[in-house]
Amino acid sequence: MADETGLFIYGLVPADVEATPDAAGVGEPPGEVAVIRHGDLGALVSEVPLDAALGRPADLRAYQELLDGTAEVAPVLPVRFGTVVTGPDAVVDLLEAHHDRFAAALAELEGRVQYVVQGRFDERTLLRGVLDENPAAAGLAEQIRGRPETTSRELRIRLGELISQAVELRREAENRRLLDVVAEYVVSTQLRPPSHEMDAAHVALLVDTDQEAAMIDVLEEYAQHRRGLLRLRLLGPLAPYDFVAAHQLAG
């Protein structure tokens, strides 16, 4: 039983896509990536032991690197990380059952990639701005100043709530501002939830490849304009994780 293997599925691609010789899959040692085809579709797969514990950081990195590298040269539908089937017949069954839906989604993604923009407020600058603009918060901060935490706990809780509300409002405004800046350069957008209490913006962008350079230029200009209040980070090009995935299309 321990020697039984299955196929880890990374993503779906057009049938003419080939796996490069240096493509590395999950596992230790890394699995050899192959393509299983049916009709107009192909599935990127590698062999894994059925009892393998997948989920190491190296496995997730291999999954993402394979999909992101593929997205730079061909459309790809990501399959949920950790999807393992019993063999080639199960892969063909998946491709056959949803062939037209998968093929249509790949056609929509032709010549498009995903980017992710993440902005993080400078905490000191943000808090100074909140206190300057919010008399109630400024008053609480003044009452707390110099007092031990044990005797000012309620005040600190109230101040924390006011600051949290202010950060949320500023985050919503920053996301709107960012989306307005890139609107003419992107096909679609998806807001991502904040990953940190000081997150200013977190947005996924689906971009036509012929608009990548223009979008990056606009974002660099935007980052300079907002410099001092927040720092922007741009990730991409990536596979379209936030926009369409095989498991969503398959239901």
Side-chain angles (χ1 to χ4, degrees):
M1 188 74 176
D3 294 327
E4 291 186 4
T5 61
L7 291 175
F8 186 108
I9 309 178
Y10 299 87
L12 309 182
V13 293
D16 59 356
V17 170
E18 299 282 352
T20 60
D22 60 343
V26 300
E28 184 57 47
E32 181 179 346
V33 178
V35 182
I36 293 177
R37 297 177 175 85
H38 175 77
D40 297 324
L41 304 173
L44 298 168
V45 303
S46 69
E47 197 172 82
V48 293
L50 286 177
D51 61 354
L54 300 171
R56 302 173 307 143
D59 293 328
L60 183 56
R61 192 160 52 246
Y63 165 84
Q64 292 174 329
E65 287 178 354
L66 179 62
L67 290 176
D68 294 344
T70 302
E72 292 191 57
V73 296
V76 57
L77 296 177
V79 171
R80 193 195 307 271
F81 176 82
T83 299
V84 177
V85 298
T86 53
D89 288 345
V91 177
V92 171
D93 287 346
L94 171 68
L95 299 180
E96 183 176 24
H98 307 284
H99 182 278
D100 292 348
R101 194 177 300 171
F102 289 157
L106 286 169
E108 282 288 316
L109 291 170
E110 183 71 45
R112 293 172 174 171
V113 290
Q114 174 174 316
Y115 280 81
V116 172
V117 184
Q118 186 168 22
R120 185 157 294 175
F121 289 117
D122 178 85
E123 187 168 1
R124 279 188 162 186
T125 303
L126 177 67
L127 293 180
R128 187 164 57 247
V130 170
L131 296 180
D132 287 345
E133 297 171 12
N134 190 319
L140 287 170
E142 185 61 32
Q143 293 178 61
I144 291 168
R145 187 172 292 112
R147 294 179 58 179
E149 189 170 342
T150 52
T151 62
S152 60
R153 184 171 180 274
E154 292 300 321
L155 295 175
R156 292 175 186 273
I157 290 174
R158 286 163 55 194
L159 178 59
E161 289 172 346
L162 288 177
I163 291 174
S164 179
Q165 291 167 8
V167 171
E168 180 62 30
L169 289 173
R170 287 176 179 235
R171 180 182 297 126
E172 291 175 2
E174 200 66 46
N175 275 315
R176 288 195 301 270
R177 188 179 290 114
L178 180 60
L179 291 177
D180 287 344
V181 165
V182 300
E184 66 178 288
Y185 304 101
V186 301
V187 177
S188 186
T189 63
Q190 286 286 342
L191 287 178
R192 284 184 162 193
S195 60
H196 186 275
E197 61 183 4
M198 284 293 121
D199 267 6
H202 202 185
V203 182
L205 310 172
L206 188 65
V207 187
D208 283 329
T209 52
D210 61 2
Q211 290 291 324
E212 282 181 88
M215 183 200 69
I216 291 170
D217 287 344
V218 165
L219 285 171
E220 287 178 348
E221 183 178 342
Y222 182 76
Q224 285 297 320
H225 176 67
R226 305 298 284 165
R227 189 177 179 182
L229 175 61
L230 58 86
R231 299 182 306 278
L232 278 188
R233 183 184 182 205
L234 180 65
L235 303 176
L238 310 171
Y241 305 104
D242 289 77
F243 296 96
V244 62
H247 68 272
Q248 295 170 331
L249 293 171

